[in-house]
Amino acid sequence: MKSILPLLLLFTANSLFAQSKKFIIEELNLPDQAQIISNSNYNTIKLQDVRTDPEDFGMVMKGVSDRKAKIKFSPSFEDQLTKMFDKGIDKASAKDQELLLQVRELNYKEVTIDLVQYGYFNFRALMFGGKENQYQLVKKIDTTMVLFKMDVTKKLEEQSLDYLRKTIFEGASANPIGNRIYTQEDINNYDKIAKSELPLYVQPKLIDGVYMNYKSFSSQVPDKPINEIEAAQGMITKANYIDDKGKKKNVKTDSYAVVYQGKAFIHYEGELYPMRKGIDNFYFITRIYDRPTGERQLVSGITGGMIGGPIGGVIGALIAQGKTKLYECQLDYFNGKYEIVREIKPQK
């Protein structure tokens, strides 16, 4: 009996330790609309969640020990969405149409660096309105919220849930964008259709020039002609243009992209990297600092729409302290950011 007791105590201790490492659950609830919406363009809402795992909403940190907590909507996000919408609109004055919300990303993430918590909320979605399989695009949503402080979880949850509520009811009153009619099958294949409408993806040859933003680049309407350019070994070593005041400007500091001899070069962290065209995407290879904040989408080192202070300088300093690795990145047609696809490891 004496020999069995230590084994039982060891088993119990191991079991308790294993349980302590399991994730806890953080349940979220969508808030009610404070003021009922009259004359809504839509009287019902439908959810289409096209994420890889509809049950995965990411994680936050709980307590002084920063224990990982899985985000969960209970009842389900779809049930809460329907209930919030039904309670928030005046059904009697609403038009007999359906608002379709296609969720592409809805994710929470928190990381702690030097005792400071960084909280991220990413939400990407499309809204369509219509009925009887005849829809029109109502709204495109692509938002990254960032908060940083000693204890960020509560504030992140409050602001993100309030943002979801506001966005949904803004859609309820919004008019369609353009006149194009989409069937449900079209909505399922929206990316392919959207790319087919962008000259960047369909033109046989790109137009030479300097592009100051993704809008002009995707439309293939250069903002400025190239004034001077030098290239060596497939890289642009020097390039400039003349601004509206007649001053010479360095393309490596003031542009989004350059097209030279029909080939695209994307601007990232002070360099212009050659892009290759895949079947329906653009790719480039670059060295990137390790990103301790967990970012995967990049825009000159900083992502998205942000709240909570001068996050750019703080994150930039943290990133610059890390090591660089070689990555393949993909241009995101939806917003013009760059998505890390994979790390390119040195060959042995």
Side-chain angles (χ1 to χ4, degrees):
M1 184 68 180
K2 289 182 179 180
S3 61
I4 295 176
L5 184 59
L7 290 174
L8 288 173
L9 291 172
L10 179 63
F11 176 79
T12 302
N14 288 337
S15 178
L16 290 171
F17 177 72
Q19 289 180 18
S20 70
K21 292 184 69 177
K22 287 183 179 179
F23 298 118
I24 58 176
I25 301 298
E26 176 76 350
E27 293 189 356
L28 299 185
N29 292 281
L30 294 173
D32 290 335
Q33 173 71 359
Q35 186 174 358
I36 303 300
I37 304 295
S38 299
N39 302 308
S40 167
N41 287 335
Y42 313 97
N43 64 358
T44 60
I45 191 167
K46 175 183 176 181
L47 175 67
Q48 182 186 21
D49 194 334
V50 297
R51 296 177 302 144
T52 303
D53 183 359
E55 298 300 318
D56 183 8
F57 295 97
M59 295 186 187
V60 293
M61 304 287 194
K62 297 293 290 184
V64 293
S65 60
D66 280 350
R67 192 174 178 187
K68 291 183 178 180
K70 283 187 175 182
I71 293 293
K72 181 180 180 181
F73 286 86
S74 183
S76 70
F77 180 74
E78 182 173 17
D79 288 344
Q80 290 192 38
L81 180 69
T82 301
K83 182 180 178 182
M84 180 185 72
F85 190 83
D86 288 346
K87 290 176 64 176
I89 64 167
D90 175 24
K91 292 276 189 175
S93 63
K95 294 180 182 177
D96 183 23
Q97 292 199 99
E98 175 184 77
L99 184 64
L100 189 156
L101 176 68
Q102 185 190 73
V103 173
R104 297 167 154 247
E105 184 174 2
L106 203 172
N107 184 266
Y108 290 84
K109 176 181 283 188
E110 282 186 30
V111 292
T112 301
I113 306 169
D114 295 334
L115 301 180
V116 178
Q117 288 185 341
Y118 294 80
Y120 287 78
F121 170 70
N122 296 296
F123 182 53
R124 181 186 290 199
L126 295 169
M127 283 187 184
F128 297 88
K131 63 178 182 179
E132 298 175 356
N133 204 29
Q134 299 287 296
Y135 296 94
Q136 289 178 279
L137 181 64
V138 172
K139 196 176 183 67
K140 291 174 67 175
I141 306 143
D142 183 36
T143 295
T144 298
M145 286 186 176
V146 183
L147 287 173
F148 67 103
K149 56 193 302 183
M150 290 299 291
D151 184 8
V152 76
T153 306
K154 183 178 180 181
K155 205 70 177 174
L156 179 67
E157 292 176 356
E158 287 177 353
Q159 294 199 20
S160 62
L161 293 171
D162 191 55
Y163 171 78
L164 286 171
R165 176 191 61 78
K166 288 180 180 178
T167 301
I168 297 303
F169 287 106
E170 283 174 1
S173 302
N175 293 316
I177 302 171
N179 298 316
R180 177 164 187 148
I181 301 298
Y182 295 84
T183 64
Q184 182 63 65
E185 184 178 357
D186 292 335
I187 294 172
N188 295 343
N189 295 283
Y190 179 83
D191 289 343
K192 185 176 181 179
I193 292 173
K195 287 179 183 179
S196 72
E197 297 174 344
L198 293 175
L200 175 65
Y201 287 87
V202 296
Q203 282 187 183
K205 185 177 181 180
L206 301 183
I207 300 173
D208 284 11
V210 179
Y211 298 85
M212 308 309 291
N213 52 61
Y214 175 64
K215 182 178 180 180
S216 62
F217 185 53
S218 61
S219 302
Q220 279 298 281
V221 180
D223 294 289
K224 297 290 180 182
I226 299 170
N227 179 54
E228 292 180 296
I229 193 163
E230 295 177 8
Q233 298 180 341
M235 293 286 290
I236 292 177
T237 56
K238 178 182 178 181
N240 60 59
Y241 67 94
I242 305 299
D243 69 7
D244 294 337
K245 296 181 179 179
K247 293 184 178 181
K248 190 181 291 186
K249 293 289 186 178
N250 185 358
V251 170
K252 289 189 177 184
T253 57
D254 290 346
S255 71
Y256 174 84
V258 173
V259 175
Y260 175 57
Q261 296 181 345
K263 183 174 181 59
F265 293 79
I266 202 77
H267 178 213
Y268 179 68
E269 297 285 358
E271 291 293 340
L272 292 166
Y273 294 95
M275 304 189 80
R276 67 174 180 87
K277 176 77 180 294
I279 296 175
D280 58 358
N281 284 303
F282 283 90
Y283 302 88
F284 69 99
I285 294 174
T286 180
R287 284 200 167 275
I288 300 174
Y289 283 103
D290 282 347
R291 314 190 77 76
T293 49
E295 296 169 87
R296 291 190 61 83
Q297 279 210 329
L298 323 171
V299 179
S300 298
I302 302 300
T303 67
M306 301 182 181
I307 52 178
I311 191 77
V314 176
I315 291 182
L318 286 167
I319 290 171
Q321 295 172 8
K323 297 179 180 179
T324 61
K325 293 181 181 178
L326 198 62
Y327 290 96
E328 181 178 45
C329 298
Q330 174 183 307
L331 179 66
D332 188 341
Y333 90 93
F334 200 86
N335 54 23
K337 298 177 186 178
Y338 324 136
E339 178 81 19
I340 294 175
V341 176
R342 65 187 177 96
E343 180 185 349
I344 301 175
K345 297 185 178 180
Q347 294 183 351
K348 295 181 179 179

